[in-house]
Every structure is written in C-alpha cells, then in structure tokens.
Amino acid sequence: DRPFVLIAGPCQLESREHALETAAALVEMTAKLGLGLIYKTSFDKANRTSLTSARGIGLEKGLPILAEIRESLGCATITDVHLPEQCQPTAEAVDVLQIPAFLSRQTDLILAAASTGAALNIKKGQFLAPWDMANVAKKAASTGNHRVLLCERGVSFGYNTLVSDMRSLPILAETGYPVIFDATHSVQQPGGQGATSGGERRFVPVLARAALAVGVAGVFMETHPDPDAAPSDGPNMVPMRAMPALLETLVAFDRLSKANPIPTL
Amino acid sequence: DRPFVLIAGPCQLESREHALETAAALVEMTAKLGLGLIYKTSFDKANRTSLTSARGIGLEKGLPILAEIRESLGCATITDVHLPEQCQPTAEAVDVLQIPAFLSRQTDLILAAASTGAALNIKKGQFLAPWDMANVAKKAASTGNHRVLLCERGVSFGYNTLVSDMRSLPILAETGYPVIFDATHSVQQPGGQGATSGGERRFVPVLARAALAVGVAGVFMETHPDPDAAPSDGPNMVPMRAMPALLETLVAFDRLSKANPIPTL
Amino acid sequence: DRPFVLIAGPCQLESREHALETAAALVEMTAKLGLGLIYKTSFDKANRTSLTSARGIGLEKGLPILAEIRESLGCATITDVHLPEQCQPTAEAVDVLQIPAFLSRQTDLILAAASTGAALNIKKGQFLAPWDMANVAKKAASTGNHRVLLCERGVSFGYNTLVSDMRSLPILAETGYPVIFDATHSVQQPGGQGATSGGERRFVPVLARAALAVGVAGVFMETHPDPDAAPSDGPNMVPMRAMPALLETLVAFDRLSKANPIPTL
Amino acid sequence: DRPFVLIAGPCQLESREHALETAAALVEMTAKLGLGLIYKTSFDKANRTSLTSARGIGLEKGLPILAEIRESLGCATITDVHLPEQCQPTAEAVDVLQIPAFLSRQTDLILAAASTGAALNIKKGQFLAPWDMANVAKKAASTGNHRVLLCERGVSFGYNTLVSDMRSLPILAETGYPVIFDATHSVQQPGGQGATSGGERRFVPVLARAALAVGVAGVFMETHPDPDAAPSDGPNMVPMRAMPALLETLVAFDRLSKANPIPTL
C-alpha cells in the first residue's frame, strides 16, 4: 500500500547532458511528491518500425551515462535489453532490466536477465493474454530471482491499434508480482504513420488515472522536454512541463485506490 | 461537475413485488450517498442468446409497474425499447428510454424514441467505434430532442469477449452529450456459456472505478438481491448487499475525478 | 454438391427500371453459367451510418416491384426485413427474407420471419462467434420452418474494420444449414468514411475465391452498373460488367472444391 | 506462375533419424506431385509458452543434421534463428533462414540474417498489419539481399486466438516479394492450454485451400508421423499420412488459382 513508483524518462538516451538534465528534473519532481523514481531511458531502439529511424547511442556509450545518473543523482535506473549478452553488463550499470514486449516470450533473454540478480520489468507482449504472463514470470523465477515486475502496455486490437484492458491489472496481480501500467506505450498506434508509430498523447492521463483507480504498484510514463522534437515515440510522450500537475493528480488517485481495495463480489 | 447518476436495478422485471422492493432499496441507498438514481429494469429481454431463456413479463404488465415505482417512490426510471411502436407507451410510463446496443444503428427506433420527447440512453453497439456514436446521436437530435445519454458497454474483442476501451469515454464526451459507463454489461462474455451469456462479476468494480477516474456523468450497474438465481445476466450483476460499500468508493473516485479534470497535453 | 447459388443485385432498390434491368442482366448471366440466382435488393436501408444518407423507396413501393421481378423474370428474390410486421407482406412478395446482421439476435424478428414459412437468410452479427449462430438458427427452427441459410459477412476486428474468418464457414455448416458467404459486406469498413461506410472492392474476389475453396452453398455479392454512383455501399459493390468473368472463375473454384471435400485430419 | 513451394517438416528436430526419415518421406511425396520442397525443422524452440516444455537438441547438434539432409537428399532446407550470432553458422548449413514472428521487428536479427546472403522467410508478427511488413522487408533489402519471403501466420484476435485475414496475402504481395501462407501456425491457439499452446488441426486444410485460391508462392505446413506424440505444436501439425491427399488437392487449387489471376475491379 505504498505510493506508486514512477518509471519515467525520455524514450531514447540522446546525450549525457540530456539524460542528466531530465533525470535531475524527475528526481526533484518525484521528491516533492514523495514518489519513488526509476529513471528510464534506452541506449538502443532495437525494433524501430523502419530502418532509417534513429536507434540511439548504443550500449557502450550508454551504460556509463546510466551508471553516472545512478551515482550522481542517487535514483534507481532502468533500461531495456534485447540480447542475452547485454544482460550482465547492463545489470552492472542499472537497477532494473526491462524485457521489451515483443521479446516477452524469448526464454533465453529472460533467463539471462533474471540470472544477473537485477530486478526485471517484463512488458506483456501485445499478443499475450494477461494470464499468459504467469508462465513468463515463472521463467524468470526459475533462476531464483523473484524481483519481477509485470507491465501492461496494451494488447493488439485490429491493425495499428492497441487497447488497454483494465481487467488485465488484477489478473497480472494474481501472480503475486507487482504490476506496472505503461501509460505512454499503451497509447501508441504501432506503424500507424507508415514508417513510424503514431500515438495519442492526450489519452495518457486518461489511461493512467484508470489504472491507478484499479490499483497498480507503478506507472511507466515516457516524458521529454520537447516530445515533438524527440527522435522516437514523440507522439506518445508527455511534455516534461506537464508532469508535475499530472503526477499530483495521479498521487491522489493512488491514495484513494489503496485506501479502498477492490471488493470481492 | 455534479455527482454521477446511478442507473441501477435488476436486469429483468421479475414481479411487481420484486421491482418495488429493489427500487425502494436503491432509493434509500442512493439518498444516503446524495446520488441521483434512475431505476432500471426490463419488461422484455428481446435478444436472449437462446429461445428457451426467460424473456420477462412483457410490456403490458411491465409498464404499469414501472409507472407505479416512479409515482410511489419518486425516482426516475428507465427501460429499454426494441420496436418503434413501443416507444410512445413506454415514454408515458418511464423517464428514460434505452436503446439496446444491438439496435444502436436502427434509425427508425431512434427516431421513434427521440420523438417522444423522453430522454434517451443509447448504448454503443459492440461493433461500433466511439466516434461512430456522433452520427447516432445526430439521428436522435434531428427530432429536436437533445436529451441524449451515450453509454459505453464494451466492444467486440475476438469471440465471446468484450473489452472496455477507456479512451472511449472522452471521445463520446466530445459529442457534448453526457456519457454513461455500463459496468455490468461490459463484463459480459456474450454467448460464452453456450446457450447463455457468461460474465465476470469480479471485474465490475475494476471497470467502474476506472471509468469514474476517467470521468463520466453516470454509471449503469445491474444489481439483484440474489444474482445467481436471477433469470438473466446473473453472472455479471452485483449482489445488492455489496452495493452500498461499492457505491461509497465510487462516489469518492467521482469527486476526485471531477475536482481534477483531464489536462490537455 | 450442386453449384453454388448466387445472391446478387444492387444494394438499394433505386427504381422499377433499375431493378428490372439489373435483375434481367443477372438472370442472363447466371443462366449462361448454370448458376441459380436469388435477386437481392433492399427497399429500405434501415441502419445507415448517418441520417442524411438515402434510405430507399420503402416497403409499399418496393414490394410490388420485387413481386414483378419474380413473376416476369422467373427468378427467386430476397430482401431484408427490419421489423416483425414487415415479414408477412414481404414474404408474399419475395422468396427469401433476410435478417440483417445487426438484428441477428432479435428474437421477435426471427420468429416473425420464420413463421411466414419463407426461407430465411440470417446474417451472422459482426459481434457473434460462428458457433453462436446455432442458437440463432434454433430460434427460427422452433417455428417448424427449417428453410434457413446462415450467412458469414465478417466479424468486428478493432474499430471500423471487419475480418473474414474462413474457419467460420465449416463451423456454421456444422448446424446442418446451408452456408452463404457475403463477399461484398465482408469488405466493408463500417463508419470508415466518417458519415458513411467505406469498403475495399478489390478484396471481393479475394474473399469470394477463398470462401468457395473452403466450400459454401452460396455467394452473396452486391453489384451495380455504376457502383461509384450508387446511393449506398458503392465502395464495396462489384461493377456489373466485371461480374461474368468473376463468376466464371468462382464456378471453377466451386467445382474443384465440391469435388474434393475437406478431409478429416 | 510456377507451382507453390512446400515448406514442411516436423516442428522440432527430434533426432538425426527422425529428421532424415521425415525429410526423405517429404522429398518423395513432393517429387510425385512436381512440387518444390524446403524441409523445415527447428533445432531450438526459443519461445515456448512454458519453461518446462522441450526446447530441442540445439544449434551445435542440429546444424550438421540439417546439412546432411541437404547433401544426402538434395532438398532445400530452412530453420529459424533467434539471435544475430546464430545467422552465419546457420546460413552455412541451410538454404533459408527463418525469422520467427515474435522477432519480426528485431532489426539486428534481420540485418544479420540478410547479411549472410541466404534467403529469408520472415514471418509476419501476430501484432503487425500486413502493410507493416513493407518496412520489415526494407530492413532486409538494405543489405543488398533481396531473397526475401514474407509469411502470413495469423494475427491476434482477442486473447489466445489468431485469425487469418486473407486480404493480407495480396497486400503482402504488393511488396514484390513471394508470399508464403503458414497453414499450421495460423490455427494455433497461443497459450490456449494453460502452459502450452493449443491448436485446431482440422482447420489446416480449410485455411490452406483458401490461401491457395487467393494465390500464394508457397505453403508452410508442419507435419509429423505422430503429431499427438510430438514434443511441440502437436495440436496443429498435420499427420504425415494425411499429407499426400491434402497436397494433391492443394496442387489443384494452386493451378486453378494461377490460371485465373485476381481481377482488378
């Protein structure tokens, strides 16, 4: 029944300065609200819609920056891994390894990530039912590592659209693992702009409020000082200046929700 | 920004006594919470999965009971119509005519219902996008009757399942008409038990909380003293004894939601 | 194992001349190919997306024209009914009553239609699973009328789109009733053009070939001398001049299919 | 307009004997019918639903067996790769590298596979629209390797179900690359048996006939001497004894289809 943790940051690690600045801003913001923060950014966008989209600065340049953020700002950090061999070095630089949704069924990646002992945030595949994640979590747990977060980020609904099924949250929670709601990827329109993914930022607060009213352990929300100029996921990221007010409301919903657990009917 | 209105009652009008008792209980319950009530029950279930399922007592016996409830208890009432010729007599007995979801595209029914001057609650078809309801509302408004409620009750998602897309609520609200969230039909599993529809009652509070956190003008929720013995929709109705606690929480979410409108990002 | 029957004609009954001309052309076309024809046209489009779209000439003017076509051209005819009271007069003018997909769960309409003794073509609702149609067919059969056709016309798939599940055809056939594939409504994009429905005519032959390869008793296909000028369903109707070549291919697929029943694996 | 190529074999490479026997049987079978064969089997099932399911004999033991089959039987071979570093050694042992559907958006894997110069069979993700595959194919083509096959294998449709959209086949063909229809994975019910995936073998001929009637360059079909005893995908594999009759019918549909191209309406 503690306040939700915020997993936030810009989709891509654009530069050391950009990362440190956004992290510092988020640390300050969450401290004021008494929220835990896990700073999120990606050194490699390994599954862009199109080859010509920017992928990022890469693991070798990215990990030292992530390590610096953790050390200098004292905040927890998370980044995604795409291949088993990335898990060990990444686990040395960050606190939480994220398994991308498309890779949520790749046994070797999950085992390699879990074997590092780091916490995992496993995104639910857009092609999975919520109850399918119990088997996914078991793969991680088989290594003895039970520090697993399960993350809802929308399910395929026709072509180029996702829908967020709020029933998914209590179903995922039945595994016993904390549940995260990813409010920005859930509003993506995959491939919806031809060579890039679209998104509908305006629905981020809609879905985040709904998820907190249902009850989650954390909220994942990508944010950027200037989303429309971001190299990826611009259409669905939250402008950083809008974060404080949005978070304040979410904190209120979280409190109300945790004070009133869902009844058994 | 007024408190949400509750549209509630047993799915079927089972008998005069049953209807009066459940209505009286709901009147008392909502008065304590300062909520408006529209008592809902159906005199005919015209689209049962199977022919052998009970349909109800019919229009001729049902309307006088509905009229009696309105008069004796002073609460507003709603019931569904299935054919144009039912609209006028029904409008004389109840306050709100409900257009069933399957019939949300039947022009004549909507025109006949709207022409009575009664308020309409139009359920969004399981086969419609939220933006499709703007054209539906225009049909009603063409009669000069703008007393229209638009009701989300789930959208087809594969076979025998519905999903509730919370983005639908603000999209429906863009029409300017009040939006109702139907929390009990949204958890139906149409045809999911072979010759009857299944449902997952446990998700009613989940979806109702989510919808109120997003923001709605009203909540529709079928309830019954003993749902498992009800002639229809038992699997998704809320036991009446669970209503007071559930409503109390929903009132708190509604207040918080209306005090904090969704921001424009 | 007889050749498939063709249910075809313009979506709307536009005028006596238009109806007679298109019917005569289709009679000639199908006679050449040895195909049975049921001429289809609607006197009322009762569920248009928007109120401002043309609905048609109405029952009173339409039925005599349909009766004239049957008499003068000797071909079977079909038209859709929307209300129980339309069934009896319509059954006197045409051979087959069609139950629209949106109305496939309206018990009274099905009972009224079946009680006329006319054959019924029941379209599967866009919100139904194929196995749900067994209960629908039982409603008709309860009247003693077993002259029932079950028609696949696509299932909801996200918003404003349908998908044709070819598995549906053998599942529907398990009821024992002949199965029709509606190749033109299956390519509709309901509401996909804002105030009207879109459609992708180019996929009509794709889906029709697929359905015949699986095996069906009949194909439903709306056609028009000039679809782009038609008052409804233009985007998905087949230009009449393209029909002979298309039908010739479909006949070949039908023959091959019926000569090689689906094996039990 | 050449006959379709058959990509077939048991889901898992169970042993050298099993692989050689099934390959020899398929070589004989396809030779009689004048069909090209690409023998398919997997040395590793890297994305099983559950950790406790059998994964296979692994790359080191598997590749020599695949190489032996190619050499001794003279048939082309295909197997799937899951990690970039597997591409080069695998390309030395087989003719075609297969990109699994879940991995169809992993840029590095596609680039590594394409860079080997081997032909690629890229399965369309269950979460992708058919037009999304144009961007996927461009990633492969960026290496200068245009030997790409695009494979339809069903799209997410609600939970634990796929649907085969036959419109996908001509849309994929618009890329200019040959299109394969995977008839056995398309009938999978992912995660549908709790800890394993279910499937409905009886629909394999249904969907294969439909796809050939629409028109494809090849058919993918897993087969096994005793599917119900197979370590993976048993519920959807075709018993090998049923293959000759099934293929004979498919050849007839293929011929008819290629003799009658889809018309432009």
Side-chain angles (χ1 to χ4, degrees):
Chain A
D1 291 7
R2 294 185 314 186
F4 73 90
V5 67
L6 178 70
I7 304 181
C11 181
Q12 273 196 37
L13 202 174
E14 300 179 21
S15 71
R16 179 177 168 277
E17 289 63 37
H18 191 263
L20 280 162
E21 267 176 44
T22 51
L26 286 163
V27 165
E28 197 191 324
M29 222 180 268
T30 48
K32 277 188 192 159
L33 291 163
L35 290 181
L37 171 71
I38 308 179
Y39 179 72
K40 187 269 164 184
T41 195
S42 297
F43 55 76
D44 184 16
K45 306 305 298 175
N47 53 29
R48 297 302 302 262
T49 302
S50 160
L51 188 63
T52 55
S53 302
R55 283 189 52 165
I57 64 169
L59 181 141
E60 280 183 46
K61 285 192 187 163
L63 292 186
I65 300 171
L66 282 160
E68 182 184 350
I69 287 170
R70 175 163 67 171
E71 195 172 355
S72 67
L73 296 173
C75 70
T77 52
I78 180 172
T79 200
D80 36 1
V81 287
H82 308 276
L83 295 170
E85 66 262 31
Q86 295 176 335
C87 294
Q88 193 52 48
T90 306
E92 287 164 22
V94 303
D95 301 278
V96 188
L97 299 183
Q98 179 164 290
I99 306 294
F102 290 151
L103 301 180
S104 56
R105 281 281 295 271
Q106 303 306 310
T107 306
D108 287 336
L109 181 63
I110 289 172
L111 294 180
S115 298
T116 64
L120 302 194
N121 182 33
I122 312 182
K123 297 220 171 172
K124 182 167 79 61
Q126 298 87 337
F127 44 84
L128 290 181
W131 43 84
D132 294 338
M133 287 298 281
N135 281 314
V136 170
K138 272 183 203 159
K139 292 182 184 178
S142 75
T143 66
N145 182 350
H146 294 273
R147 300 175 61 215
V148 171
L149 308 170
L150 300 180
C151 180
E152 169 63 47
R153 49 92 76 233
V155 62
S156 283
F157 178 64
Y159 291 136
N160 301 313
T161 328
L162 302 170
V163 68
S164 294
D165 183 353
M166 292 294 154
R167 296 170 300 187
S168 175
L169 304 174
I171 295 171
L172 289 173
E174 284 166 9
T175 60
Y177 295 108
V179 175
I180 309 296
F181 181 73
D182 178 343
T184 47
H185 289 94
S186 294
V187 305
Q188 261 188 339
Q189 297 180 308
Q193 303 187 336
T196 60
S197 288
E200 293 191 275
R201 187 187 300 154
R202 65 179 176 133
F203 293 125
V204 173
V206 170
L207 297 181
R209 288 161 72 128
L212 283 165
V214 174
V216 288
V219 171
F220 180 110
M221 206 151 48
E222 289 186 345
T223 179
H224 193 276
D226 183 7
D228 295 332
S232 56
D233 277 18
N236 50 291
M237 281 198 281
V238 175
M240 204 166 276
R241 68 181 173 282
M243 287 289 280
L246 176 55
L247 288 175
E248 203 172 355
T249 310
L250 297 184
V251 166
F253 276 105
D254 185 47
R255 251 187 232 133
L256 181 59
S257 184
K258 285 173 181 161
N260 295 279
I262 303 272
T264 306
L265 293 192
Chain B
D1 291 6
R2 294 185 312 187
F4 74 90
V5 68
L6 179 69
I7 304 180
C11 181
Q12 272 196 38
L13 202 174
E14 300 178 20
S15 71
R16 180 177 167 276
E17 289 65 35
H18 191 264
L20 279 162
E21 267 175 41
T22 52
L26 285 163
V27 164
E28 197 191 324
M29 221 180 268
T30 48
K32 277 189 192 159
L33 292 162
L35 289 182
L37 170 70
I38 308 178
Y39 179 74
K40 187 269 165 184
T41 195
S42 296
F43 56 76
D44 184 17
K45 307 304 299 174
N47 53 30
R48 297 301 302 260
T49 302
S50 160
L51 187 64
T52 56
S53 302
R55 283 189 53 166
I57 62 169
L59 182 141
E60 281 184 46
K61 286 194 188 161
L63 292 187
I65 301 172
L66 281 160
E68 181 183 351
I69 287 171
R70 176 164 66 171
E71 195 175 352
S72 67
L73 296 172
C75 71
T77 53
I78 180 173
T79 199
D80 36 1
V81 286
H82 308 277
L83 295 171
E85 67 261 30
Q86 294 176 336
C87 294
Q88 193 52 49
T90 306
E92 287 164 21
V94 303
D95 301 278
V96 188
L97 299 183
Q98 178 165 290
I99 306 294
F102 290 151
L103 301 180
S104 55
R105 281 280 295 270
Q106 303 307 310
T107 306
D108 288 335
L109 181 63
I110 290 172
L111 294 179
S115 298
T116 64
L120 303 193
N121 181 32
I122 311 182
K123 297 220 171 172
K124 182 168 80 62
Q126 298 88 336
F127 44 85
L128 289 182
W131 43 84
D132 294 338
M133 288 298 281
N135 281 314
V136 170
K138 272 182 204 160
K139 291 182 184 178
S142 75
T143 65
N145 182 350
H146 294 273
R147 300 175 62 215
V148 172
L149 308 170
L150 299 180
C151 180
E152 169 62 48
R153 49 91 78 233
V155 60
S156 284
F157 179 64
Y159 290 135
N160 301 314
T161 327
L162 302 170
V163 67
S164 294
D165 182 354
M166 292 295 154
R167 295 172 300 188
S168 174
L169 304 174
I171 295 171
L172 290 172
E174 283 166 9
T175 58
Y177 295 109
V179 175
I180 308 295
F181 181 72
D182 177 343
T184 48
H185 288 93
S186 294
V187 305
Q188 261 187 338
Q189 297 179 309
Q193 303 187 336
T196 59
S197 287
E200 294 190 275
R201 186 186 300 152
R202 64 179 177 134
F203 293 126
V204 173
V206 169
L207 297 182
R209 287 161 74 126
L212 283 165
V214 173
V216 287
V219 172
F220 180 110
M221 207 152 47
E222 289 186 344
T223 180
H224 193 277
D226 183 7
D228 295 332
S232 56
D233 277 20
N236 50 290
M237 280 198 282
V238 175
M240 205 167 275
R241 67 181 173 284
M243 287 288 280
L246 177 54
L247 287 174
E248 202 172 358
T249 309
L250 296 184
V251 165
F253 276 106
D254 184 48
R255 249 185 233 137
L256 181 59
S257 185
K258 285 173 179 159
N260 295 278
I262 304 271
T264 306
L265 293 190
Chain C
D1 291 7
R2 296 183 312 187
F4 74 89
V5 67
L6 179 70
I7 304 181
C11 180
Q12 274 196 38
L13 202 174
E14 301 178 20
S15 70
R16 179 177 168 277
E17 289 66 35
H18 191 264
L20 280 162
E21 266 176 43
T22 51
L26 286 164
V27 164
E28 195 190 326
M29 223 179 268
T30 48
K32 277 189 192 158
L33 292 162
L35 289 181
L37 170 71
I38 308 179
Y39 179 73
K40 187 267 163 185
T41 195
S42 297
F43 55 76
D44 184 18
K45 306 305 298 174
N47 54 28
R48 297 300 303 261
T49 301
S50 161
L51 187 63
T52 56
S53 302
R55 285 188 53 166
I57 63 168
L59 182 141
E60 281 184 46
K61 286 193 187 162
L63 292 186
I65 300 172
L66 282 159
E68 181 183 352
I69 287 171
R70 177 164 65 171
E71 195 174 352
S72 66
L73 296 172
C75 70
T77 52
I78 180 172
T79 199
D80 35 2
V81 285
H82 308 277
L83 295 170
E85 67 261 30
Q86 294 176 335
C87 295
Q88 193 51 47
T90 305
E92 288 164 22
V94 302
D95 300 278
V96 188
L97 299 182
Q98 178 164 290
I99 306 293
F102 290 151
L103 301 180
S104 56
R105 281 281 295 271
Q106 303 306 310
T107 306
D108 288 335
L109 181 63
I110 290 171
L111 294 179
S115 299
T116 65
L120 302 194
N121 182 31
I122 312 182
K123 298 222 170 171
K124 182 168 79 60
Q126 299 87 337
F127 44 85
L128 290 181
W131 43 85
D132 295 337
M133 288 298 282
N135 281 315
V136 171
K138 272 184 203 159
K139 291 182 184 179
S142 75
T143 65
N145 182 349
H146 294 272
R147 301 175 61 216
V148 171
L149 308 170
L150 299 180
C151 179
E152 169 62 47
R153 49 91 77 235
V155 61
S156 283
F157 179 63
Y159 290 134
N160 301 314
T161 328
L162 302 169
V163 68
S164 294
D165 182 354
M166 293 294 154
R167 296 172 300 188
S168 175
L169 303 174
I171 295 172
L172 289 173
E174 284 166 10
T175 59
Y177 295 108
V179 175
I180 308 296
F181 181 72
D182 177 344
T184 47
H185 289 94
S186 294
V187 304
Q188 260 189 339
Q189 297 180 308
Q193 302 187 336
T196 60
S197 288
E200 293 191 274
R201 188 186 298 154
R202 64 178 177 135
F203 293 125
V204 172
V206 170
L207 298 181
R209 289 161 72 127
L212 283 165
V214 174
V216 288
V219 172
F220 180 110
M221 206 150 50
E222 289 186 344
T223 179
H224 193 277
D226 182 6
D228 294 332
S232 55
D233 277 18
N236 50 289
M237 281 197 281
V238 175
M240 205 166 275
R241 68 181 173 284
M243 287 288 281
L246 177 55
L247 288 174
E248 202 172 357
T249 310
L250 297 184
V251 166
F253 276 105
D254 184 47
R255 251 188 231 133
L256 181 58
S257 184
K258 285 173 180 159
N260 296 278
I262 303 272
T264 305
L265 293 191
Chain D
D1 291 6
R2 295 184 313 187
F4 73 90
V5 67
L6 178 70
I7 305 181
C11 180
Q12 273 196 37
L13 201 175
E14 299 179 21
S15 71
R16 179 178 167 276
E17 289 65 35
H18 190 264
L20 280 162
E21 267 176 42
T22 51
L26 286 163
V27 165
E28 197 190 325
M29 221 179 269
T30 47
K32 277 188 194 159
L33 292 162
L35 289 181
L37 170 71
I38 308 178
Y39 179 73
K40 188 269 163 184
T41 195
S42 297
F43 55 77
D44 184 18
K45 306 306 297 175
N47 54 29
R48 297 301 302 261
T49 301
S50 160
L51 188 63
T52 56
S53 303
R55 284 189 54 166
I57 64 169
L59 180 141
E60 279 183 47
K61 285 193 188 162
L63 292 186
I65 300 171
L66 282 159
E68 182 183 351
I69 287 170
R70 176 165 65 172
E71 195 174 355
S72 66
L73 296 172
C75 70
T77 53
I78 181 172
T79 199
D80 36 0
V81 287
H82 309 278
L83 296 170
E85 66 261 30
Q86 294 176 334
C87 295
Q88 193 52 48
T90 305
E92 287 163 23
V94 303
D95 301 278
V96 188
L97 299 182
Q98 178 164 289
I99 307 294
F102 290 152
L103 301 180
S104 56
R105 281 280 296 269
Q106 302 306 310
T107 306
D108 288 335
L109 181 63
I110 290 172
L111 294 180
S115 298
T116 64
L120 301 193
N121 182 32
I122 311 181
K123 297 220 171 172
K124 183 168 79 61
Q126 298 86 337
F127 43 85
L128 290 181
W131 43 85
D132 294 337
M133 288 298 282
N135 282 314
V136 170
K138 272 183 203 159
K139 291 182 183 178
S142 74
T143 66
N145 182 350
H146 294 272
R147 301 176 61 215
V148 171
L149 309 170
L150 299 180
C151 180
E152 170 62 49
R153 49 92 76 232
V155 61
S156 283
F157 179 64
Y159 290 135
N160 301 314
T161 329
L162 302 169
V163 68
S164 294
D165 182 353
M166 292 295 154
R167 295 171 301 187
S168 175
L169 304 174
I171 295 171
L172 290 173
E174 284 166 10
T175 60
Y177 296 108
V179 175
I180 308 296
F181 182 71
D182 178 343
T184 48
H185 289 94
S186 294
V187 304
Q188 261 188 339
Q189 297 179 308
Q193 303 186 335
T196 59
S197 287
E200 294 190 274
R201 187 186 299 153
R202 66 180 176 133
F203 293 126
V204 172
V206 170
L207 297 182
R209 287 160 73 126
L212 283 165
V214 173
V216 287
V219 172
F220 180 110
M221 206 150 49
E222 289 186 344
T223 180
H224 193 276
D226 183 6
D228 294 332
S232 55
D233 277 18
N236 50 289
M237 280 198 281
V238 175
M240 205 165 276
R241 67 182 173 283
M243 287 288 280
L246 177 55
L247 288 174
E248 203 172 356
T249 310
L250 297 184
V251 166
F253 276 106
D254 184 47
R255 250 187 233 134
L256 182 58
S257 184
K258 286 173 180 160
N260 295 279
I262 303 272
T264 305
L265 294 191

